[in-house]
Amino acid sequence: MKLWGGRFTKETDQLVHNFNASISFDQKFYRQDIKGSIAHVFMLEKQEILTRAEREKLLEGLDSILRDIENGSLTIDGTQEDIHSFVEANLIKRIGETGKKLHTGRSRNDQVALDMKLYTRDEIVVINCLLKTLLTELLRLAELHKETFMPGFTHLQKAQPVTLAHHLSAYFEMFVRDRSRLCDIYQRMNYCPLGAGALAGTTYPLDRDYTATLLDFDGPTRNSMDSVSDRDYIIELLSALSTIMMHLSRFCEEIIVWNTDEYRFVELDDAYSTGSSIMPQKKNPDIAELIRGKTGRVYGALVSILTTMKGLPLAYNKDMQEDKELTFDALDTVKGCISLFTGMLSTTKFNRSVMEASARNGFTNATDAADYLVNHGVPFRDAHGIIGQLVLSCIDLNCSLDELPLEVYRAASPAFEADIYDAIRMKNCVEKRNTIGAPGLQAMSEVLSSYREYLDTMNLCDTIRTEGGEV
Ligand code: ARG
């Protein structure tokens, strides 16, 4: 039985039904659908559109549907077009005539807009929480590695020495921004579309403020056409998810490089590596590669929904049903990737001595040698040239700046004294960098304690409980 069969004289072609139906995927938000209906029923009673007895009967029916889906005694099958039709048809089957009143003053257009908002809102909270776990792990590692020296790179060429804590804290910053983006989206989207009807509101005296309050929204949406055709929050969310994936992917790329025999900065745990079917010696970073790879899929979802929405006239169009699968897939992908990444990171072994030795090579202290000259009155541009020539001498002599004889230094500039070796010692190069955001111990410790404070403070999404209770 179709919700809209009255006007039709023929059965829908089976292929059309299959093509049109969304129940195979929108059943994912059955909980949100029922929750929305419950709020709608309370509001209808308050407005005296339903009697108290009708409200009780409808709620009993809706509660029993939810219970039966959860305990497995009610299976969501493919006979109905979507989850909204499924719940309504089942309600009518259970409680009879009163069930037919559920959809008073409502359309599937505002209903689906509500369900999708409720679902994505919950998922934002879950992802916010997963990111917090990742940040907690990053901070734990950063605190352990404040004095683990490593080369910092530009162009993937050794540039200046930093610490592992400094490197990790760069990612801490990225994931903090990701969380704040999620909270922004939550706030912007948190207005209830229910009551917008098909597109032009309804003639019933609905109390939209009341429905919004029942469903923990900040208020009702203010234009009924926009309410049923707005998918901006999905676009924003997929953009934020893409950025999270981009951050994870960059980190994965580094881990993959660091895990090579050439670098040996890290060793991935056996539990987070895989082998080769032919080469017995292999231990591959498949998880990091897969996370990097899945980034493309989340970007794909963003481009897909942007393309779907482009050129859609107001108000609701069926094209918008395409928002579901890709959003669900992107959300599941991101949740899985953050969890897996956190597990991989927390079990990774960092090879301090290899990192430190690497930080000493590659003339990472050349800038500090130039700074030494500047501190002795040589203009920076001249100092840069002098050290460049000394680097060439080192390459000729096959030695580092630390090993270059003092005569060679003094021949290049009389400003050099014996304390040059101290000034360019790798650890000193890091230690002297104590401006805010730099890797020096003092600066780093201050930043890390601000991170601790950040993690101890609840953000908007931390304070919200989700429908699925997955947090
Ligand atoms: N499954 C539909 C969707 O996701 C529900 C809304 C149907 N509305 C309609 N007018 N056909 O968009």
Side-chain angles (χ1 to χ4, degrees), residues 26 97 175 215 258 270 284 326 361 373 399 417 437-438 445 450:
D26 65 18
E97 287 302 298
F175 295 120
L215 293 167
W258 292 355
D270 277 3
N284 295 325
L326 52 90
N361 301 329
L373 286 179
C399 70
E417 306 283 347
S445 301
S450 79

Side-chain angles (χ1 to χ4, degrees), residues 22 26 82 84 108-109 112 316 321 324:
S22 51
D26 65 18
D82 51 34
H84 327 294
R108 277 184 301 161
N109 296 352
V112 76
Y316 177 82
Q321 180 169 287
K324 315 269 165 339

Side-chain angles (χ1 to χ4, degrees), residues 274-291:
T274 51
S276 156
S277 59
I278 176 171
M279 298 168 280
Q281 84 283 11
K282 294 277 270 180
K283 187 172 147 186
N284 295 325
D286 286 31
I287 300 312
E289 289 172 354
L290 259 180
I291 295 171

